[in-house]
Structures are given as structure tokens and as C-alpha cells.
Amino acid sequence: WISRYLPIAPLLISFHLLKLLPPCSSFLAALLPVVVVGNTSYSVSKVSGYLDDCTCDVETVDRFNNYRLFPRLQNLLESDYFRYYKVNLKRPCPFWNDISQCGRRDCAVKPCQSDEVPDGIKSVSYKYSEEANSLIEECEQAERLGAVDESLSEETQKAVLQWTKHDDSSDNFCEADDIQSPDAEYVDLLLNPERYTGYKGPDAWKIWNVIYEENCFKPQTIKRPLNPLASGQGKSEENTFYSWLEGLCVEKRAFYRLISGLHASINVHLSARYLLQDTWLEKKWGHNVTEFQQRFDGILTKGEGPRRLKNLYFLYLIELRALSKVVPFFERPDFQLFTGNKIQDAENKMLLLEILHEIKSFPLHFDENSFFAGDKKEANKLKEDFRLHFRNISRIMDCVGCLKCRLWGKLQTQGLGTALKILFSEKLIANMPESGPSYEFHLTRQEIVSLFNAFGRISTSVKELENFRKLLQNIH
């Protein structure tokens, strides 16, 4: 036994001594190689089998994502159309004033200079994706004037009115940024990647606490497991929570699982792109197994970690289903991934359609028909509650004190909101004309970019789980 652990004894001693240091020195933990020994279980390998409320299993998702979808999706997201996202990171928090801004350099976001963004993206991204080229400039001009100019063609007037109606539609699940605001700037997502920034503690907990406690249909009397802002929780509180959750209608239960899955996915990214070394010579980012264990290990999280990872898979299936449903919108000849580079734009549309047809071939898609079924009046009321709760969460993202976290939080909530909008617009999608502008169902460029990048984040999380499994197996 002694000979087995003797070679890493100094490392283990250093690791335990580190726990005695004050929180401000926690970054030093990342400077040590990460080793986990002893009886700690690597529970990620135990996340398997069928998912609740689904006919799909973890293994099918892993095979499909990691070997058929992930590589091509990453290539698409590196293209100009998808890498530039316009966002307003200066919007005030609508809920409280005492926001503690993260001053760490890793929390900062570097916006694009004007000449760095392709002209084609800037010219068509005031509000809509590049379709109906003959109408778009007139429509944007009319919108900037704040009225429908009678000198515009009848078709253009109709487009302006319909698209305005679309943007105010009750089918929108997010409060989107006004990208015409002087405070809205383009951000290159490849140069501002989602990764560990050091933003944590009470300020970060407060954001998630408000999301879970006030927007997930949960009564105050029900205590959420492992809530860092609550004390004295035991097994009985955990049992009460899951008894309450299972007793919810499928829509409200799904809402909680979507938010939990999003939270889990973000934590996977932070663990996979952790700051391992920070010296005046270089910064080194990589997988922090200890951080991952603390967030997802079955023993360390008292069984909560594996549940969170299953919710991540649930979120994956919801967004995958939305992408499969919206294929007709992207198949229309008028739709372009317009950047101004005709050859590249045509190649990217071809790649986009290849990915979407691959997604459509997935054998075990989530069946959303169980959502908002039954009595029509009650179903409509429930759908509106669902939409308003999610819209509120999108507004909470403006309260995040870390700008890079705010950027990716806004993008991913808008992406999920767009996925939900698609799922509940099946009839509108089915009735779209094969050519010309689609008045009843439309996606803006912002929605398209956020939809695919948000799914790209979930896809990356599933891939990273495989990487963590391998790292943990090598350790053991």
C-alpha cells in the first residue's frame, strides 16, 4: 500500500495543505497537477441508461454526438457567420443595483473593431437574416424611421409590419438585446471563449439562486439540494425536493431540468477549460479533474452530480429536436448564411444542411407532443407561464458581474429560447412558403447564431464528458 502511493506522497501532502490556505489563494491549486486517489468514485462513468421523460439513452447520445456530429458542428461554428455575435453587455440589471463587477482580466470581453467584422454581416444584421434581399434594406430604413413610409412598395410595407409583429410575438421566449443600440457591439466568440474566469462565490451563487428559487415554479418551502446559500440541509430535504419535482406536470418538470442542464453544461466547460497555470510567461488552460469531481462526483455531491449530468443530456435532446424541426426554414433557396463572401457562404450553407439532415436522422428524438396537451385553455395558460419564466431568466443574465460569463449566459439563454420557440411553432414552420419572405415564422440572424452556438456548447459538454471519463479511468 505504501509503495503504491509513495511516488505521489509529496503531491498529496501539498494538495491537503492547500486546503488550509485562505480562499484568495485558491488559484494556486490549479498550479499543481491534478490527481485523485483513494475511494472517490468517478461517477461520470456511471451516468448511463435511459433518461427521464425520454425514450433515449445516454449511450446513444454519446455515439451520435461524439463521432457523427461534433467535428462538423465545430467547423461550422468557426465560420464568419457564426463566430460574430452582436450583444449589449452594458444593459443595467433590472432586478437589483448592488452588482459586484468582476475586475479579473479573464472576466473581460474584447469587442471587435469595426473593420474586423465582414461587411456582409454588418449590412444585414440590423434585425433579420439574409433572405428576401430585395426587401431587407428598405425594411431596415423604414424601421429606423420608426414608421412605415407610404412611399415604400406594398410588399415592403407588409414585410415591415409582419416582422415587427414577429418580434413582439408571444412565441418569443427571450428578451433580446436591441442590437441597434450604441452600446451593442460585435464580439468574436472564438477570441472570447467560454472558460474558467475566477468569477465565483456569493455573487455567482446569487444569480443561480434567483433563477432556481424564483423562476422554476418552486415554492419557497421546498429546499433545493446543495444550495450554497442555504444551510443545514439533510437527506430529508433532498427527498422532499425530488418528491415535489416528480409530482409536477411534465412541462414544469422539463423547465427545471432544462435550467439544471444548462447550469451543468456551463460547469463542465469551466472544468474542461480551467486555468491550470498563470505565470508572467504563459497561461495554460486544460482539464481540472478535481474541479470536475467537486461538481459532479456521486459521493462528493451526495448523488446530485449524476442527476445534473442527466439533465445536461435532456437539454441536448431538446435542442437537437428543435434543430430537426426547423430544417425547412434553412432549406429554402432564399435563405443564405450571408457574409459577403459568395463561395464561403455557399459552402457553409451546404455544411449547415448536412449537419441538419444528420440531426434529422437521429433515431430517438424527444417527443414534444406531450407538452401543453389536454384542455386548451389550461395548456395556453401553462405555455404563457413557461414563456414568461424563461423570459425572466434571460433578463437575469444582465445581472451577471463577469462580462465574459454574461456574454455566454446571454447567448446560451437566447439559443435555448430560440429552440423553445421552434418547438412550439410547428404549424407556422409547416406553412412557410418555399420561396420569398416567411411572414409567420422567422428567425433573425441573432437567433440563428445563438441557436447553433448554444447547441455547440451542449455538444461540447457531451464530448468533454467522454474526455473526463478517460482521464478518470487513467487515474484509477
Side-chain angles (χ1 to χ4, degrees), residues 423-446:
L423 284 180
F424 304 133
S425 300
E426 183 173 15
K427 291 181 180 179
L428 299 179
I429 294 172
N431 293 329
M432 283 190 307
E434 291 185 6
S435 62
S438 171
Y439 297 130
E440 296 300 324
F441 178 83
H442 193 80
L443 294 179
T444 68
R445 180 181 177 274
Q446 287 293 105

PDB file of all heavy atoms in Angstrom, residues 423-446:
ATOM      1  N   LEU A 423     -39.826  24.720 -31.262  1.00  0.00           N
ATOM      2  CA  LEU A 423     -40.622  23.557 -30.882  1.00  0.00           C
ATOM      3  C   LEU A 423     -42.113  23.860 -30.845  1.00  0.00           C
ATOM      4  O   LEU A 423     -42.935  22.995 -31.150  1.00  0.00           O
ATOM      5  CB  LEU A 423     -40.177  23.036 -29.510  1.00  0.00           C
ATOM      6  CG  LEU A 423     -38.868  22.250 -29.465  1.00  0.00           C
ATOM      7  CD1 LEU A 423     -38.565  21.805 -28.037  1.00  0.00           C
ATOM      8  CD2 LEU A 423     -38.915  21.048 -30.396  1.00  0.00           C
ATOM      9  N   PHE A 424     -42.457  25.082 -30.467  1.00  0.00           N
ATOM     10  CA  PHE A 424     -43.869  25.434 -30.326  1.00  0.00           C
ATOM     11  C   PHE A 424     -44.389  26.240 -31.528  1.00  0.00           C
ATOM     12  O   PHE A 424     -45.393  26.918 -31.435  1.00  0.00           O
ATOM     13  CB  PHE A 424     -44.075  26.203 -29.021  1.00  0.00           C
ATOM     14  CG  PHE A 424     -43.572  25.439 -27.826  1.00  0.00           C
ATOM     15  CD1 PHE A 424     -42.777  26.048 -26.864  1.00  0.00           C
ATOM     16  CD2 PHE A 424     -43.865  24.091 -27.673  1.00  0.00           C
ATOM     17  CE1 PHE A 424     -42.303  25.344 -25.773  1.00  0.00           C
ATOM     18  CE2 PHE A 424     -43.381  23.368 -26.582  1.00  0.00           C
ATOM     19  CZ  PHE A 424     -42.600  23.987 -25.630  1.00  0.00           C
ATOM     20  N   SER A 425     -43.656  26.144 -32.658  1.00  0.00           N
ATOM     21  CA  SER A 425     -44.086  26.830 -33.880  1.00  0.00           C
ATOM     22  C   SER A 425     -44.227  25.840 -35.037  1.00  0.00           C
ATOM     23  O   SER A 425     -44.044  26.205 -36.201  1.00  0.00           O
ATOM     24  CB  SER A 425     -43.074  27.921 -34.267  1.00  0.00           C
ATOM     25  OG  SER A 425     -42.929  28.884 -33.257  1.00  0.00           O
ATOM     26  N   GLU A 426     -44.552  24.610 -34.727  1.00  0.00           N
ATOM     27  CA  GLU A 426     -44.570  23.554 -35.749  1.00  0.00           C
ATOM     28  C   GLU A 426     -45.503  23.893 -36.910  1.00  0.00           C
ATOM     29  O   GLU A 426     -45.151  23.753 -38.086  1.00  0.00           O
ATOM     30  CB  GLU A 426     -44.981  22.228 -35.118  1.00  0.00           C
ATOM     31  CG  GLU A 426     -44.941  21.059 -36.103  1.00  0.00           C
ATOM     32  CD  GLU A 426     -45.193  19.727 -35.426  1.00  0.00           C
ATOM     33  OE1 GLU A 426     -45.678  19.717 -34.270  1.00  0.00           O
ATOM     34  OE2 GLU A 426     -44.918  18.693 -36.059  1.00  0.00           O
ATOM     35  N   LYS A 427     -46.702  24.375 -36.617  1.00  0.00           N
ATOM     36  CA  LYS A 427     -47.670  24.685 -37.685  1.00  0.00           C
ATOM     37  C   LYS A 427     -47.197  25.854 -38.530  1.00  0.00           C
ATOM     38  O   LYS A 427     -47.367  25.865 -39.755  1.00  0.00           O
ATOM     39  CB  LYS A 427     -49.040  24.984 -37.080  1.00  0.00           C
ATOM     40  CG  LYS A 427     -49.717  23.769 -36.462  1.00  0.00           C
ATOM     41  CD  LYS A 427     -51.088  24.120 -35.907  1.00  0.00           C
ATOM     42  CE  LYS A 427     -51.750  22.897 -35.286  1.00  0.00           C
ATOM     43  NZ  LYS A 427     -53.083  23.223 -34.705  1.00  0.00           N
ATOM     44  N   LEU A 428     -46.585  26.848 -37.890  1.00  0.00           N
ATOM     45  CA  LEU A 428     -46.077  28.001 -38.637  1.00  0.00           C
ATOM     46  C   LEU A 428     -44.951  27.590 -39.579  1.00  0.00           C
ATOM     47  O   LEU A 428     -44.865  28.069 -40.712  1.00  0.00           O
ATOM     48  CB  LEU A 428     -45.592  29.082 -37.679  1.00  0.00           C
ATOM     49  CG  LEU A 428     -46.628  29.682 -36.728  1.00  0.00           C
ATOM     50  CD1 LEU A 428     -45.971  30.733 -35.837  1.00  0.00           C
ATOM     51  CD2 LEU A 428     -47.789  30.301 -37.503  1.00  0.00           C
ATOM     52  N   ILE A 429     -44.084  26.700 -39.117  1.00  0.00           N
ATOM     53  CA  ILE A 429     -42.979  26.219 -39.952  1.00  0.00           C
ATOM     54  C   ILE A 429     -43.528  25.415 -41.130  1.00  0.00           C
ATOM     55  O   ILE A 429     -43.068  25.536 -42.268  1.00  0.00           O
ATOM     56  CB  ILE A 429     -41.990  25.381 -39.116  1.00  0.00           C
ATOM     57  CG1 ILE A 429     -41.307  26.273 -38.066  1.00  0.00           C
ATOM     58  CG2 ILE A 429     -40.939  24.722 -40.001  1.00  0.00           C
ATOM     59  CD1 ILE A 429     -40.449  25.512 -37.068  1.00  0.00           C
ATOM     60  N   ALA A 430     -44.531  24.591 -40.850  1.00  0.00           N
ATOM     61  CA  ALA A 430     -45.123  23.762 -41.909  1.00  0.00           C
ATOM     62  C   ALA A 430     -45.784  24.602 -42.996  1.00  0.00           C
ATOM     63  O   ALA A 430     -45.840  24.196 -44.159  1.00  0.00           O
ATOM     64  CB  ALA A 430     -46.130  22.795 -41.304  1.00  0.00           C
ATOM     65  N   ASN A 431     -46.264  25.792 -42.638  1.00  0.00           N
ATOM     66  CA  ASN A 431     -46.981  26.641 -43.590  1.00  0.00           C
ATOM     67  C   ASN A 431     -46.090  27.677 -44.283  1.00  0.00           C
ATOM     68  O   ASN A 431     -46.600  28.547 -44.995  1.00  0.00           O
ATOM     69  CB  ASN A 431     -48.134  27.362 -42.881  1.00  0.00           C
ATOM     70  CG  ASN A 431     -49.220  26.393 -42.432  1.00  0.00           C
ATOM     71  OD1 ASN A 431     -49.438  25.359 -43.069  1.00  0.00           O
ATOM     72  ND2 ASN A 431     -49.891  26.716 -41.330  1.00  0.00           N
ATOM     73  N   MET A 432     -44.795  27.596 -44.082  1.00  0.00           N
ATOM     74  CA  MET A 432     -43.896  28.562 -44.727  1.00  0.00           C
ATOM     75  C   MET A 432     -43.920  28.401 -46.241  1.00  0.00           C
ATOM     76  O   MET A 432     -43.980  27.280 -46.745  1.00  0.00           O
ATOM     77  CB  MET A 432     -42.454  28.343 -44.240  1.00  0.00           C
ATOM     78  CG  MET A 432     -42.147  28.886 -42.871  1.00  0.00           C
ATOM     79  SD  MET A 432     -40.360  28.817 -42.561  1.00  0.00           S
ATOM     80  CE  MET A 432     -40.011  27.109 -42.918  1.00  0.00           C
ATOM     81  N   PRO A 433     -43.848  29.501 -46.974  1.00  0.00           N
ATOM     82  CA  PRO A 433     -43.724  29.383 -48.438  1.00  0.00           C
ATOM     83  C   PRO A 433     -42.349  28.826 -48.801  1.00  0.00           C
ATOM     84  O   PRO A 433     -41.375  29.010 -48.061  1.00  0.00           O
ATOM     85  CB  PRO A 433     -43.886  30.824 -48.917  1.00  0.00           C
ATOM     86  CG  PRO A 433     -43.457  31.665 -47.761  1.00  0.00           C
ATOM     87  CD  PRO A 433     -43.866  30.905 -46.528  1.00  0.00           C
ATOM     88  N   GLU A 434     -42.265  28.154 -49.937  1.00  0.00           N
ATOM     89  CA  GLU A 434     -40.994  27.573 -50.355  1.00  0.00           C
ATOM     90  C   GLU A 434     -39.996  28.639 -50.775  1.00  0.00           C
ATOM     91  O   GLU A 434     -38.783  28.408 -50.758  1.00  0.00           O
ATOM     92  CB  GLU A 434     -41.230  26.583 -51.496  1.00  0.00           C
ATOM     93  CG  GLU A 434     -41.984  25.327 -51.049  1.00  0.00           C
ATOM     94  CD  GLU A 434     -42.095  24.307 -52.166  1.00  0.00           C
ATOM     95  OE1 GLU A 434     -41.491  24.541 -53.247  1.00  0.00           O
ATOM     96  OE2 GLU A 434     -42.765  23.286 -51.960  1.00  0.00           O
ATOM     97  N   SER A 435     -40.499  29.798 -51.199  1.00  0.00           N
ATOM     98  CA  SER A 435     -39.596  30.890 -51.568  1.00  0.00           C
ATOM     99  C   SER A 435     -40.201  32.212 -51.131  1.00  0.00           C
ATOM    100  O   SER A 435     -41.386  32.295 -50.817  1.00  0.00           O
ATOM    101  CB  SER A 435     -39.367  30.889 -53.086  1.00  0.00           C
ATOM    102  OG  SER A 435     -40.588  31.109 -53.771  1.00  0.00           O
ATOM    103  N   GLY A 436     -39.368  33.243 -51.110  1.00  0.00           N
ATOM    104  CA  GLY A 436     -39.842  34.543 -50.659  1.00  0.00           C
ATOM    105  C   GLY A 436     -39.803  34.648 -49.149  1.00  0.00           C
ATOM    106  O   GLY A 436     -39.511  33.687 -48.443  1.00  0.00           O
ATOM    107  N   PRO A 437     -40.099  35.833 -48.612  1.00  0.00           N
ATOM    108  CA  PRO A 437     -40.038  36.028 -47.158  1.00  0.00           C
ATOM    109  C   PRO A 437     -41.096  35.214 -46.427  1.00  0.00           C
ATOM    110  O   PRO A 437     -42.207  35.026 -46.911  1.00  0.00           O
ATOM    111  CB  PRO A 437     -40.281  37.526 -46.988  1.00  0.00           C
ATOM    112  CG  PRO A 437     -40.982  37.945 -48.236  1.00  0.00           C
ATOM    113  CD  PRO A 437     -40.476  37.063 -49.325  1.00  0.00           C
ATOM    114  N   SER A 438     -40.717  34.704 -45.266  1.00  0.00           N
ATOM    115  CA  SER A 438     -41.651  33.959 -44.424  1.00  0.00           C
ATOM    116  C   SER A 438     -42.190  34.900 -43.362  1.00  0.00           C
ATOM    117  O   SER A 438     -41.474  35.313 -42.451  1.00  0.00           O
ATOM    118  CB  SER A 438     -40.920  32.776 -43.762  1.00  0.00           C
ATOM    119  OG  SER A 438     -41.731  32.165 -42.799  1.00  0.00           O
ATOM    120  N   TYR A 439     -43.460  35.274 -43.485  1.00  0.00           N
ATOM    121  CA  TYR A 439     -44.022  36.285 -42.601  1.00  0.00           C
ATOM    122  C   TYR A 439     -44.422  35.730 -41.241  1.00  0.00           C
ATOM    123  O   TYR A 439     -44.312  36.400 -40.221  1.00  0.00           O
ATOM    124  CB  TYR A 439     -45.237  36.946 -43.271  1.00  0.00           C
ATOM    125  CG  TYR A 439     -44.903  37.685 -44.542  1.00  0.00           C
ATOM    126  CD1 TYR A 439     -45.629  37.477 -45.705  1.00  0.00           C
ATOM    127  CD2 TYR A 439     -43.853  38.597 -44.576  1.00  0.00           C
ATOM    128  CE1 TYR A 439     -45.330  38.158 -46.873  1.00  0.00           C
ATOM    129  CE2 TYR A 439     -43.537  39.278 -45.740  1.00  0.00           C
ATOM    130  CZ  TYR A 439     -44.279  39.061 -46.887  1.00  0.00           C
ATOM    131  OH  TYR A 439     -43.972  39.736 -48.028  1.00  0.00           O
ATOM    132  N   GLU A 440     -44.907  34.499 -41.219  1.00  0.00           N
ATOM    133  CA  GLU A 440     -45.441  33.954 -39.972  1.00  0.00           C
ATOM    134  C   GLU A 440     -44.344  33.404 -39.065  1.00  0.00           C
ATOM    135  O   GLU A 440     -44.386  33.553 -37.855  1.00  0.00           O
ATOM    136  CB  GLU A 440     -46.468  32.853 -40.280  1.00  0.00           C
ATOM    137  CG  GLU A 440     -47.706  33.353 -41.012  1.00  0.00           C
ATOM    138  CD  GLU A 440     -48.452  34.403 -40.212  1.00  0.00           C
ATOM    139  OE1 GLU A 440     -48.491  34.297 -38.977  1.00  0.00           O
ATOM    140  OE2 GLU A 440     -48.999  35.351 -40.827  1.00  0.00           O
ATOM    141  N   PHE A 441     -43.357  32.736 -39.665  1.00  0.00           N
ATOM    142  CA  PHE A 441     -42.245  32.212 -38.864  1.00  0.00           C
ATOM    143  C   PHE A 441     -40.952  32.763 -39.423  1.00  0.00           C
ATOM    144  O   PHE A 441     -40.680  32.670 -40.622  1.00  0.00           O
ATOM    145  CB  PHE A 441     -42.203  30.689 -38.902  1.00  0.00           C
ATOM    146  CG  PHE A 441     -41.032  30.129 -38.131  1.00  0.00           C
ATOM    147  CD1 PHE A 441     -41.116  29.960 -36.755  1.00  0.00           C
ATOM    148  CD2 PHE A 441     -39.839  29.817 -38.769  1.00  0.00           C
ATOM    149  CE1 PHE A 441     -40.021  29.476 -36.036  1.00  0.00           C
ATOM    150  CE2 PHE A 441     -38.744  29.335 -38.057  1.00  0.00           C
ATOM    151  CZ  PHE A 441     -38.846  29.158 -36.689  1.00  0.00           C
ATOM    152  N   HIS A 442     -40.155  33.352 -38.548  1.00  0.00           N
ATOM    153  CA  HIS A 442     -38.902  33.956 -38.991  1.00  0.00           C
ATOM    154  C   HIS A 442     -37.871  33.848 -37.880  1.00  0.00           C
ATOM    155  O   HIS A 442     -38.212  33.905 -36.695  1.00  0.00           O
ATOM    156  CB  HIS A 442     -39.124  35.424 -39.343  1.00  0.00           C
ATOM    157  CG  HIS A 442     -37.974  36.017 -40.102  1.00  0.00           C
ATOM    158  ND1 HIS A 442     -37.799  35.836 -41.449  1.00  0.00           N
ATOM    159  CD2 HIS A 442     -36.924  36.776 -39.693  1.00  0.00           C
ATOM    160  CE1 HIS A 442     -36.703  36.466 -41.841  1.00  0.00           C
ATOM    161  NE2 HIS A 442     -36.164  37.039 -40.794  1.00  0.00           N
ATOM    162  N   LEU A 443     -36.621  33.676 -38.263  1.00  0.00           N
ATOM    163  CA  LEU A 443     -35.512  33.712 -37.314  1.00  0.00           C
ATOM    164  C   LEU A 443     -34.575  34.849 -37.705  1.00  0.00           C
ATOM    165  O   LEU A 443     -34.194  34.965 -38.877  1.00  0.00           O
ATOM    166  CB  LEU A 443     -34.733  32.385 -37.317  1.00  0.00           C
ATOM    167  CG  LEU A 443     -35.466  31.148 -36.809  1.00  0.00           C
ATOM    168  CD1 LEU A 443     -34.553  29.921 -36.920  1.00  0.00           C
ATOM    169  CD2 LEU A 443     -35.926  31.324 -35.369  1.00  0.00           C
ATOM    170  N   THR A 444     -34.218  35.700 -36.758  1.00  0.00           N
ATOM    171  CA  THR A 444     -33.236  36.746 -37.010  1.00  0.00           C
ATOM    172  C   THR A 444     -31.848  36.131 -37.037  1.00  0.00           C
ATOM    173  O   THR A 444     -31.624  34.997 -36.602  1.00  0.00           O
ATOM    174  CB  THR A 444     -33.274  37.822 -35.916  1.00  0.00           C
ATOM    175  OG1 THR A 444     -32.799  37.235 -34.696  1.00  0.00           O
ATOM    176  CG2 THR A 444     -34.687  38.354 -35.702  1.00  0.00           C
ATOM    177  N   ARG A 445     -30.899  36.880 -37.549  1.00  0.00           N
ATOM    178  CA  ARG A 445     -29.523  36.385 -37.530  1.00  0.00           C
ATOM    179  C   ARG A 445     -29.069  36.147 -36.087  1.00  0.00           C
ATOM    180  O   ARG A 445     -28.379  35.165 -35.792  1.00  0.00           O
ATOM    181  CB  ARG A 445     -28.569  37.384 -38.215  1.00  0.00           C
ATOM    182  CG  ARG A 445     -27.132  36.872 -38.192  1.00  0.00           C
ATOM    183  CD  ARG A 445     -26.116  37.804 -38.822  1.00  0.00           C
ATOM    184  NE  ARG A 445     -24.794  37.215 -38.657  1.00  0.00           N
ATOM    185  CZ  ARG A 445     -24.034  37.373 -37.583  1.00  0.00           C
ATOM    186  NH1 ARG A 445     -24.445  38.138 -36.588  1.00  0.00           N
ATOM    187  NH2 ARG A 445     -22.852  36.776 -37.505  1.00  0.00           N
ATOM    188  N   GLN A 446     -29.458  37.022 -35.162  1.00  0.00           N
ATOM    189  CA  GLN A 446     -29.091  36.844 -33.755  1.00  0.00           C
ATOM    190  C   GLN A 446     -29.602  35.499 -33.227  1.00  0.00           C
ATOM    191  O   GLN A 446     -28.896  34.796 -32.506  1.00  0.00           O
ATOM    192  CB  GLN A 446     -29.686  37.980 -32.913  1.00  0.00           C
ATOM    193  CG  GLN A 446     -29.006  39.321 -33.083  1.00  0.00           C
ATOM    194  CD  GLN A 446     -27.598  39.340 -32.545  1.00  0.00           C
ATOM    195  OE1 GLN A 446     -26.650  39.313 -33.313  1.00  0.00           O
ATOM    196  NE2 GLN A 446     -27.446  39.375 -31.247  1.00  0.00           N
TER     197      GLN A 446
END
